[in-house]
Amino acid sequence: MCVLVDLFNREIIGYSAGVHKNAQLVYDAFATVKTDLRKIQMFHSDRGSEFKNELLEKVITTFEIKRSLSMKGCPYDNAVAEATFKIFKTEFVYGRNFDSLSQLRYELKSYVKWFNNNRIHGSLNYMTPVEFRKLTL
């Protein structure tokens, strides 16, 4: 699975699920972003091969998104994403078995909707990501 997190309000703006952890998985997550990709100012990730490759470079270049990579071996550079992944794994992944990739994709879509619209975050003054975005924009 791949999730794209907006640092402004911790909203999951893109997501995908696939058989392999590769560039196509990240590309598919970008394809689910509902806003204009040209509004994304920066894409920050770790240095995994799924993030640093020709396919993703085409997306970033096409939409004029600046690139930021974590320092090697430094999870603190990506702290918000790491915290979101921990929540994601704890609430959605651990202890679960999915019968098929299509079931995983269906449930992932439902979880992302719940996460963005119902789950409150202390760092957002106990609002949901969507509430925070609507209040501040």
Short mmCIF file of all heavy atoms in Angstrom, two decimals, residues 73-115:
data_model
loop_
_atom_site.label_atom_id
_atom_site.label_comp_id
_atom_site.label_asym_id
_atom_site.label_seq_id
_atom_site.Cartn_x
_atom_site.Cartn_y
_atom_site.Cartn_z
N GLY A 73 18.79 6.97 6.20
CA GLY A 73 18.72 6.44 7.56
C GLY A 73 18.19 7.39 8.61
O GLY A 73 18.41 7.19 9.79
N CYS A 74 17.47 8.44 8.18
CA CYS A 74 16.97 9.44 9.13
C CYS A 74 15.44 9.53 9.04
O CYS A 74 14.91 10.34 8.28
CB CYS A 74 17.61 10.80 8.86
SG CYS A 74 17.17 12.01 10.11
N PRO A 75 14.71 8.74 9.83
CA PRO A 75 13.25 8.77 9.77
C PRO A 75 12.65 10.08 10.26
O PRO A 75 11.52 10.40 9.98
CB PRO A 75 12.82 7.60 10.66
CG PRO A 75 13.96 7.40 11.59
CD PRO A 75 15.20 7.78 10.83
N TYR A 76 13.43 10.88 11.00
CA TYR A 76 12.92 12.14 11.54
C TYR A 76 12.64 13.15 10.43
O TYR A 76 11.83 14.06 10.60
CB TYR A 76 13.88 12.72 12.57
CG TYR A 76 14.16 11.74 13.69
CD1 TYR A 76 15.38 11.11 13.80
CD2 TYR A 76 13.16 11.43 14.61
CE1 TYR A 76 15.62 10.19 14.80
CE2 TYR A 76 13.38 10.52 15.62
CZ TYR A 76 14.61 9.90 15.72
OH TYR A 76 14.83 8.98 16.71
N ASP A 77 13.30 13.02 9.28
CA ASP A 77 13.04 13.89 8.14
C ASP A 77 11.63 13.70 7.61
O ASP A 77 11.11 14.54 6.90
CB ASP A 77 14.03 13.62 7.00
CG ASP A 77 15.38 14.26 7.23
OD1 ASP A 77 15.54 15.00 8.22
OD2 ASP A 77 16.28 14.03 6.41
N ASN A 78 11.06 12.58 7.91
CA ASN A 78 9.75 12.20 7.37
C ASN A 78 8.79 11.90 8.52
O ASN A 78 7.96 11.00 8.43
CB ASN A 78 9.95 10.96 6.49
CG ASN A 78 8.97 10.89 5.35
OD1 ASN A 78 8.27 11.85 5.06
ND2 ASN A 78 8.91 9.74 4.71
N ALA A 79 8.89 12.67 9.61
CA ALA A 79 8.19 12.35 10.86
C ALA A 79 6.68 12.30 10.73
O ALA A 79 6.04 11.40 11.26
CB ALA A 79 8.59 13.34 11.94
N VAL A 80 6.06 13.24 10.02
CA VAL A 80 4.60 13.25 9.89
C VAL A 80 4.13 12.01 9.13
O VAL A 80 3.18 11.34 9.54
CB VAL A 80 4.10 14.54 9.21
CG1 VAL A 80 2.61 14.47 8.92
CG2 VAL A 80 4.40 15.75 10.09
N ALA A 81 4.82 11.70 8.04
CA ALA A 81 4.46 10.51 7.27
C ALA A 81 4.65 9.25 8.11
O ALA A 81 3.79 8.37 8.12
CB ALA A 81 5.27 10.44 5.99
N GLU A 82 5.76 9.17 8.85
CA GLU A 82 6.01 8.00 9.69
C GLU A 82 4.93 7.85 10.76
O GLU A 82 4.46 6.75 11.04
CB GLU A 82 7.40 8.08 10.32
CG GLU A 82 8.55 8.01 9.34
CD GLU A 82 8.70 6.68 8.63
OE1 GLU A 82 8.18 5.66 9.12
OE2 GLU A 82 9.33 6.67 7.56
N ALA A 83 4.52 8.95 11.37
CA ALA A 83 3.46 8.90 12.38
C ALA A 83 2.14 8.46 11.74
O ALA A 83 1.40 7.66 12.33
CB ALA A 83 3.30 10.27 13.03
N THR A 84 1.86 8.96 10.55
CA THR A 84 0.63 8.56 9.86
C THR A 84 0.67 7.08 9.52
O THR A 84 -0.33 6.38 9.68
CB THR A 84 0.43 9.40 8.57
OG1 THR A 84 0.39 10.79 8.94
CG2 THR A 84 -0.85 9.03 7.86
N PHE A 85 1.82 6.59 9.06
CA PHE A 85 1.94 5.17 8.73
C PHE A 85 1.75 4.30 9.97
O PHE A 85 1.14 3.22 9.89
CB PHE A 85 3.30 4.86 8.09
CG PHE A 85 3.54 5.59 6.80
CD1 PHE A 85 4.82 5.95 6.43
CD2 PHE A 85 2.49 5.95 5.95
CE1 PHE A 85 5.05 6.64 5.25
CE2 PHE A 85 2.72 6.64 4.77
CZ PHE A 85 4.00 6.98 4.41
N LYS A 86 2.24 4.76 11.12
CA LYS A 86 2.05 4.00 12.35
C LYS A 86 0.57 3.90 12.70
O LYS A 86 0.06 2.83 13.03
CB LYS A 86 2.82 4.64 13.51
CG LYS A 86 2.69 3.85 14.79
CD LYS A 86 3.46 4.46 15.93
CE LYS A 86 3.26 3.61 17.17
NZ LYS A 86 3.83 4.21 18.35
N ILE A 87 -0.13 5.02 12.60
CA ILE A 87 -1.59 5.03 12.84
C ILE A 87 -2.27 4.10 11.84
O ILE A 87 -3.12 3.28 12.20
CB ILE A 87 -2.16 6.46 12.72
CG1 ILE A 87 -1.67 7.33 13.87
CG2 ILE A 87 -3.69 6.45 12.66
CD1 ILE A 87 -1.91 8.83 13.64
N PHE A 88 -1.91 4.25 10.60
CA PHE A 88 -2.49 3.46 9.51
C PHE A 88 -2.31 1.96 9.75
O PHE A 88 -3.26 1.18 9.65
CB PHE A 88 -1.81 3.90 8.20
CG PHE A 88 -2.27 3.19 6.97
CD1 PHE A 88 -3.48 3.51 6.39
CD2 PHE A 88 -1.47 2.22 6.38
CE1 PHE A 88 -3.90 2.87 5.24
CE2 PHE A 88 -1.89 1.58 5.24
CZ PHE A 88 -3.11 1.90 4.66
N LYS A 89 -1.09 1.57 10.11
CA LYS A 89 -0.82 0.16 10.37
C LYS A 89 -1.60 -0.33 11.59
O LYS A 89 -2.19 -1.42 11.57
CB LYS A 89 0.67 -0.07 10.57
CG LYS A 89 1.47 0.07 9.31
CD LYS A 89 2.96 -0.04 9.60
CE LYS A 89 3.79 0.21 8.38
NZ LYS A 89 5.23 0.21 8.67
N THR A 90 -1.62 0.45 12.66
CA THR A 90 -2.30 0.05 13.89
C THR A 90 -3.81 -0.07 13.69
O THR A 90 -4.42 -1.04 14.11
CB THR A 90 -2.01 1.07 15.02
OG1 THR A 90 -0.60 1.13 15.22
CG2 THR A 90 -2.69 0.66 16.31
N GLU A 91 -4.40 0.91 13.04
CA GLU A 91 -5.86 0.95 12.90
C GLU A 91 -6.38 0.11 11.73
O GLU A 91 -7.49 -0.39 11.79
CB GLU A 91 -6.34 2.39 12.70
CG GLU A 91 -6.14 3.25 13.91
CD GLU A 91 -6.57 4.69 13.69
OE1 GLU A 91 -6.85 5.09 12.54
OE2 GLU A 91 -6.64 5.42 14.69
N PHE A 92 -5.60 0.00 10.68
CA PHE A 92 -6.13 -0.63 9.47
C PHE A 92 -5.49 -1.97 9.11
O PHE A 92 -6.15 -2.87 8.64
CB PHE A 92 -6.01 0.33 8.28
CG PHE A 92 -6.53 -0.23 6.99
CD1 PHE A 92 -7.89 -0.41 6.80
CD2 PHE A 92 -5.66 -0.56 5.96
CE1 PHE A 92 -8.38 -0.94 5.61
CE2 PHE A 92 -6.13 -1.08 4.77
CZ PHE A 92 -7.50 -1.27 4.59
N VAL A 93 -4.20 -2.12 9.35
CA VAL A 93 -3.49 -3.29 8.82
C VAL A 93 -3.35 -4.42 9.83
O VAL A 93 -3.71 -5.56 9.55
CB VAL A 93 -2.10 -2.87 8.29
CG1 VAL A 93 -1.32 -4.08 7.82
CG2 VAL A 93 -2.23 -1.84 7.18
N TYR A 94 -2.79 -4.12 11.02
CA TYR A 94 -2.45 -5.18 11.97
C TYR A 94 -3.65 -6.05 12.34
O TYR A 94 -4.73 -5.55 12.62
CB TYR A 94 -1.83 -4.60 13.24
CG TYR A 94 -0.45 -4.02 13.03
CD1 TYR A 94 -0.05 -2.89 13.72
CD2 TYR A 94 0.47 -4.60 12.16
CE1 TYR A 94 1.21 -2.35 13.54
CE2 TYR A 94 1.72 -4.07 11.98
CZ TYR A 94 2.09 -2.95 12.66
OH TYR A 94 3.34 -2.42 12.49
N GLY A 95 -3.40 -7.35 12.34
CA GLY A 95 -4.43 -8.30 12.73
C GLY A 95 -5.48 -8.55 11.68
O GLY A 95 -6.49 -9.22 11.95
N ARG A 96 -5.29 -8.06 10.49
CA ARG A 96 -6.29 -8.21 9.43
C ARG A 96 -5.75 -9.11 8.34
O ARG A 96 -4.57 -9.11 8.03
CB ARG A 96 -6.61 -6.85 8.80
CG ARG A 96 -6.97 -5.77 9.76
CD ARG A 96 -8.41 -5.36 9.86
NE ARG A 96 -9.29 -5.55 8.75
CZ ARG A 96 -9.75 -4.59 7.97
NH1 ARG A 96 -9.37 -3.35 8.15
NH2 ARG A 96 -10.59 -4.87 7.03
N ASN A 97 -6.64 -9.82 7.72
CA ASN A 97 -6.33 -10.60 6.52
C ASN A 97 -7.34 -10.21 5.46
O ASN A 97 -8.54 -10.12 5.74
CB ASN A 97 -6.44 -12.10 6.80
CG ASN A 97 -5.32 -12.59 7.70
OD1 ASN A 97 -4.17 -12.29 7.47
ND2 ASN A 97 -5.69 -13.32 8.73
N PHE A 98 -6.86 -9.98 4.27
CA PHE A 98 -7.74 -9.62 3.16
C PHE A 98 -7.76 -10.79 2.19
O PHE A 98 -6.73 -11.34 1.83
CB PHE A 98 -7.22 -8.35 2.48
CG PHE A 98 -7.15 -7.18 3.43
CD1 PHE A 98 -5.97 -6.87 4.09
CD2 PHE A 98 -8.27 -6.41 3.68
CE1 PHE A 98 -5.90 -5.81 4.97
CE2 PHE A 98 -8.22 -5.34 4.58
CZ PHE A 98 -7.04 -5.04 5.22
N ASP A 99 -8.95 -11.18 1.79
CA ASP A 99 -9.10 -12.34 0.92
C ASP A 99 -8.60 -12.11 -0.50
O ASP A 99 -8.26 -13.05 -1.20
CB ASP A 99 -10.57 -12.78 0.87
CG ASP A 99 -11.06 -13.29 2.21
OD1 ASP A 99 -10.25 -13.85 2.98
OD2 ASP A 99 -12.26 -13.13 2.51
N SER A 100 -8.57 -10.85 -0.90
CA SER A 100 -8.13 -10.54 -2.26
C SER A 100 -7.63 -9.10 -2.32
O SER A 100 -7.90 -8.29 -1.42
CB SER A 100 -9.30 -10.71 -3.24
OG SER A 100 -10.32 -9.75 -2.94
N LEU A 101 -6.95 -8.79 -3.40
CA LEU A 101 -6.48 -7.43 -3.61
C LEU A 101 -7.66 -6.49 -3.79
O LEU A 101 -7.64 -5.36 -3.30
CB LEU A 101 -5.55 -7.37 -4.83
CG LEU A 101 -4.89 -6.03 -5.13
CD1 LEU A 101 -4.11 -5.50 -3.93
CD2 LEU A 101 -3.99 -6.15 -6.35
N SER A 102 -8.70 -6.95 -4.43
CA SER A 102 -9.88 -6.10 -4.62
C SER A 102 -10.56 -5.79 -3.28
O SER A 102 -11.03 -4.67 -3.06
CB SER A 102 -10.87 -6.72 -5.60
OG SER A 102 -11.33 -7.96 -5.14
N GLN A 103 -10.58 -6.75 -2.35
CA GLN A 103 -11.13 -6.48 -1.02
C GLN A 103 -10.27 -5.46 -0.29
O GLN A 103 -10.79 -4.54 0.34
CB GLN A 103 -11.23 -7.76 -0.19
CG GLN A 103 -11.79 -7.50 1.21
CD GLN A 103 -11.56 -8.64 2.19
OE1 GLN A 103 -10.84 -9.58 1.91
NE2 GLN A 103 -12.18 -8.52 3.36
N LEU A 104 -8.95 -5.62 -0.36
CA LEU A 104 -8.04 -4.66 0.26
C LEU A 104 -8.28 -3.26 -0.30
O LEU A 104 -8.39 -2.30 0.45
CB LEU A 104 -6.59 -5.08 0.03
CG LEU A 104 -5.52 -4.06 0.43
CD1 LEU A 104 -5.59 -3.72 1.91
CD2 LEU A 104 -4.14 -4.58 0.05
N ARG A 105 -8.37 -3.14 -1.61
CA ARG A 105 -8.58 -1.82 -2.23
C ARG A 105 -9.90 -1.20 -1.79
O ARG A 105 -9.97 -0.01 -1.51
CB ARG A 105 -8.52 -1.94 -3.75
CG ARG A 105 -7.11 -2.16 -4.26
CD ARG A 105 -7.08 -2.34 -5.74
NE ARG A 105 -5.69 -2.38 -6.21
CZ ARG A 105 -5.30 -3.03 -7.29
NH1 ARG A 105 -6.18 -3.69 -8.04
NH2 ARG A 105 -4.03 -3.00 -7.65
N TYR A 106 -10.93 -2.01 -1.71
CA TYR A 106 -12.25 -1.52 -1.28
C TYR A 106 -12.20 -1.02 0.16
O TYR A 106 -12.67 0.07 0.48
CB TYR A 106 -13.29 -2.64 -1.44
CG TYR A 106 -14.66 -2.25 -0.94
CD1 TYR A 106 -15.51 -1.49 -1.73
CD2 TYR A 106 -15.10 -2.64 0.32
CE1 TYR A 106 -16.76 -1.12 -1.28
CE2 TYR A 106 -16.35 -2.28 0.78
CZ TYR A 106 -17.18 -1.52 -0.03
OH TYR A 106 -18.42 -1.15 0.43
N GLU A 107 -11.61 -1.81 1.04
CA GLU A 107 -11.53 -1.43 2.45
C GLU A 107 -10.57 -0.26 2.67
O GLU A 107 -10.79 0.56 3.55
CB GLU A 107 -11.18 -2.64 3.30
CG GLU A 107 -12.33 -3.65 3.31
CD GLU A 107 -12.16 -4.76 4.32
OE1 GLU A 107 -11.57 -4.50 5.40
OE2 GLU A 107 -12.63 -5.87 4.05
N LEU A 108 -9.51 -0.19 1.87
CA LEU A 108 -8.58 0.94 1.94
C LEU A 108 -9.30 2.24 1.59
O LEU A 108 -9.16 3.25 2.28
CB LEU A 108 -7.39 0.72 1.01
CG LEU A 108 -6.38 1.87 0.90
CD1 LEU A 108 -5.77 2.21 2.26
CD2 LEU A 108 -5.30 1.50 -0.12
N LYS A 109 -10.10 2.21 0.56
CA LYS A 109 -10.87 3.40 0.17
C LYS A 109 -11.80 3.84 1.30
O LYS A 109 -11.88 5.03 1.62
CB LYS A 109 -11.69 3.09 -1.09
CG LYS A 109 -12.47 4.26 -1.61
CD LYS A 109 -13.22 3.90 -2.89
CE LYS A 109 -14.01 5.08 -3.41
NZ LYS A 109 -14.70 4.77 -4.67
N SER A 110 -12.46 2.90 1.94
CA SER A 110 -13.35 3.22 3.06
C SER A 110 -12.57 3.78 4.25
O SER A 110 -13.02 4.73 4.90
CB SER A 110 -14.11 1.97 3.52
OG SER A 110 -14.98 1.54 2.52
N TYR A 111 -11.42 3.18 4.54
CA TYR A 111 -10.60 3.65 5.66
C TYR A 111 -10.12 5.07 5.41
O TYR A 111 -10.17 5.92 6.31
CB TYR A 111 -9.40 2.72 5.91
CG TYR A 111 -8.50 3.26 6.99
CD1 TYR A 111 -8.84 3.12 8.33
CD2 TYR A 111 -7.34 3.95 6.66
CE1 TYR A 111 -8.02 3.65 9.33
CE2 TYR A 111 -6.52 4.48 7.66
CZ TYR A 111 -6.87 4.33 8.99
OH TYR A 111 -6.07 4.86 9.97
N VAL A 112 -9.65 5.37 4.21
CA VAL A 112 -9.16 6.71 3.89
C VAL A 112 -10.28 7.73 4.06
O VAL A 112 -10.08 8.81 4.62
CB VAL A 112 -8.55 6.76 2.47
CG1 VAL A 112 -8.31 8.19 2.02
CG2 VAL A 112 -7.25 5.96 2.42
N LYS A 113 -11.47 7.39 3.60
CA LYS A 113 -12.62 8.29 3.76
C LYS A 113 -12.88 8.54 5.25
O LYS A 113 -13.09 9.68 5.68
CB LYS A 113 -13.86 7.70 3.09
CG LYS A 113 -15.06 8.60 3.14
CD LYS A 113 -16.24 7.98 2.40
CE LYS A 113 -17.44 8.89 2.51
NZ LYS A 113 -18.62 8.33 1.85
N TRP A 114 -12.87 7.48 6.05
CA TRP A 114 -13.08 7.61 7.49
C TRP A 114 -11.96 8.44 8.13
O TRP A 114 -12.22 9.34 8.93
CB TRP A 114 -13.16 6.23 8.14
CG TRP A 114 -13.24 6.29 9.64
CD1 TRP A 114 -14.36 6.49 10.39
CD2 TRP A 114 -12.14 6.20 10.56
NE1 TRP A 114 -14.03 6.53 11.73
CE2 TRP A 114 -12.67 6.35 11.86
CE3 TRP A 114 -10.78 6.00 10.40
CZ2 TRP A 114 -11.88 6.30 12.99
CZ3 TRP A 114 -9.98 5.96 11.54
CH2 TRP A 114 -10.54 6.11 12.82
N PHE A 115 -10.70 8.13 7.77
CA PHE A 115 -9.54 8.81 8.33
C PHE A 115 -9.63 10.31 8.08
O PHE A 115 -9.39 11.12 8.98
CB PHE A 115 -8.26 8.25 7.70
CG PHE A 115 -6.99 8.83 8.24
CD1 PHE A 115 -6.34 8.22 9.30
CD2 PHE A 115 -6.44 9.98 7.69
CE1 PHE A 115 -5.15 8.75 9.81
CE2 PHE A 115 -5.26 10.52 8.19
CZ PHE A 115 -4.62 9.90 9.26
#
